[in-house]
Amino acid sequence: MKVIIIIPTYNEKGNIERLIEILQNDVFPNIKNHQMHILVVDDSSPDKTADVVEQLTKKYKNLHLLNNGNKLGLGAAYVRGMNTAIEKLGAEVMFEMDADLSHDPKKVPEFLQKIDEGYDMVIGTRYSQGGSIPSNWGIIRKIYSVFGNLLVKAILMRFWIHDWTGGFRALRKEVFLKEKKELTSFRGYTFQVSFLHKAVRDGFKVAEVPIHFTDRTLGRSKIAPKEYIAELLTYVVAARFWELVYSPFLKYAITGFTGYIINAVGLEYFYRQGFHPSIAGAIGAELSIIWNFVINNFWAFNQYKITNPLKILVKFPQFNLVSFGSLIIISAILAVGNYFFGPASRQIFLVIAIGFFVIPYSYSMYNIFIWKRWHISFLSGLQKMVG
Ligand SMILES: Nc1nc2c(ncn2[C@@H]2O[C@H](COP(=O)(O)OP(=O)(O)O)[C@@H](O)[C@H]2O)c(=O)[nH]1
Ligand SMILES: [Mg+2]
């Protein structure tokens, strides 16, 4: 395959020359099954990085330079670079790599190995076993990087990817072609996070390669974490919000709420027909369970809906069992509330029971056991997280 290593540069005169020499002389000769190229994307660096690269293109036929013009940030440089790599140079696989030798060029074959195994995107990760960040980083930079990554993982709820902000990656051109329209407005770390997030969202297969990130010895960093933290947080929070809106969760919540109304109306109706409140309440509850099952099946989880009547016969009792679990949770928590705070606390504890226990419990049960939506991504993700 034709592989193009894309290296964005801004004032990297000293670094880029060393990196190109290492790639050409120490790395590429060991890669036999791919055609290796380099594309440097320079934003009119005042230190004349472009001239250095231009000189080297005379020596190396597989070295290309894109004069990108004004400095519009890392994201813009990569989008432009990847478009050029695909359209003009015929890239099938592309790398993202920093010019400052923070990314060990000798790791390139390991990334390609994963591509050969069929992965669409390979992430160099500093935060899993075998990876590291420089010990001499200041405490502030460490905090930004470690907690930034944790926060992204927690908000996006994808724990099996360990490094979201890193910029040493390989990807098939299909990943970029699919996502590029949505990437143009992101800068700095937000570009890396959003690109990876969209790739994962769309089901591209992602692998990780542990890397040791070494600090640059020449030049200065152009990316200040604190400048991007607000942008990054805005991105992940908004992305998660829309994911929830489009996922079954909101519909599940609406269904649950209407189910509660059916329960209450049932209680009232059968009580007025002369039933004991506990019986009337139980009838209302079962009506609500039937409603919940039907609406979740044909609406909230309709992509996973159960239509085979025999299967419904099996699933419906299971669904009742899950609902029975909710019932036990609610009465247990009401009992605890009653014990510590007396009966006046009942409504508050009902809200606590539903909000913090019943919703996470029943939503997970539906996803894992009833409609099996999380079977692959969630459980295997959990496995990867532990392993
Ligand atoms: N073309 C281009 N390259 C950039 C820009 N900002 C950063 N880079 C390059 O992106 C890579 C990573 O930047 P760096 O400053 O080392 O970020 P850090 O490692 O997070 O401190 C380096 O190769 C930079 O030269 C930019 O606006 N345009
Ligand atoms: Mg750097």
Side-chain angles (χ1 to χ4, degrees), residues 111-182:
F111 284 69
L112 287 174
Q113 171 75 31
K114 294 281 180 199
I115 295 283
D116 291 340
E117 285 171 21
Y119 287 97
D120 301 303
M121 194 164 186
V122 187
I123 306 298
T125 168
R126 301 161 290 177
Y127 298 111
S128 57
Q129 252 183 6
S132 67
I133 54 174
S135 49
N136 64 332
W137 265 7
I139 187 76
I140 300 293
R141 180 148 192 202
K142 275 186 185 154
I143 288 173
Y144 267 121
S145 190
V146 172
F147 285 93
N149 263 291
L150 269 177
L151 212 62
V152 171
K153 272 201 267 192
I155 297 175
L156 294 179
M157 292 290 285
R158 296 201 171 87
F159 294 98
W160 60 94
I161 288 174
H162 295 89
D163 195 339
W164 285 85
T165 50
F168 193 7
R169 299 171 170 185
L171 53 122
R172 287 173 195 278
K173 72 163 194 251
E174 288 77 13
V175 184
F176 175 71
L177 290 174
K178 168 111 188 137
E179 313 300 355
K180 69 178 198 180
K181 283 191 304 300
E182 293 186 56

Side-chain angles (χ1 to χ4, degrees), residues 210-263:
I211 56 161
H212 295 290
F213 186 96
T214 42
D215 231 355
R216 58 160 75 236
T217 50
L218 284 177
R220 277 193 293 132
S221 167
K222 288 98 207 171
I223 305 178
K226 65 173 186 296
E227 275 176 39
Y228 294 102
I229 194 85
E231 190 186 56
L232 183 59
L233 275 178
T234 311
Y235 173 79
V236 286
V237 168
R240 186 71 192 134
F241 172 79
W242 288 111
E243 259 179 25
L244 283 178
V245 169
Y246 287 110
S247 87
F249 184 79
L250 197 70
K251 294 173 182 168
Y252 148 89
I254 294 170
T255 309
F257 184 69
T258 53
Y260 158 77
I261 291 172
I262 287 176
N263 198 339

Side-chain angles (χ1 to χ4, degrees), residues 10 52 55 73 124 132 163 196 200 224 244 279-280 302 307 310 336-337 375:
Y10 193 76
V52 175
Q55 275 302 316
S132 67
D163 195 339
L196 179 54
V200 171
L244 283 178
I279 305 290
N302 75 327
T307 46
L310 269 175
V336 170
H375 192 65

Side-chain angles (χ1 to χ4, degrees), residues 263-275 280 287:
N263 198 339
V265 170
L267 165 68
E268 213 47 38
Y269 176 79
F270 289 102
Y271 175 71
R272 289 182 191 185
Q273 296 291 312
F275 288 89
L287 287 176

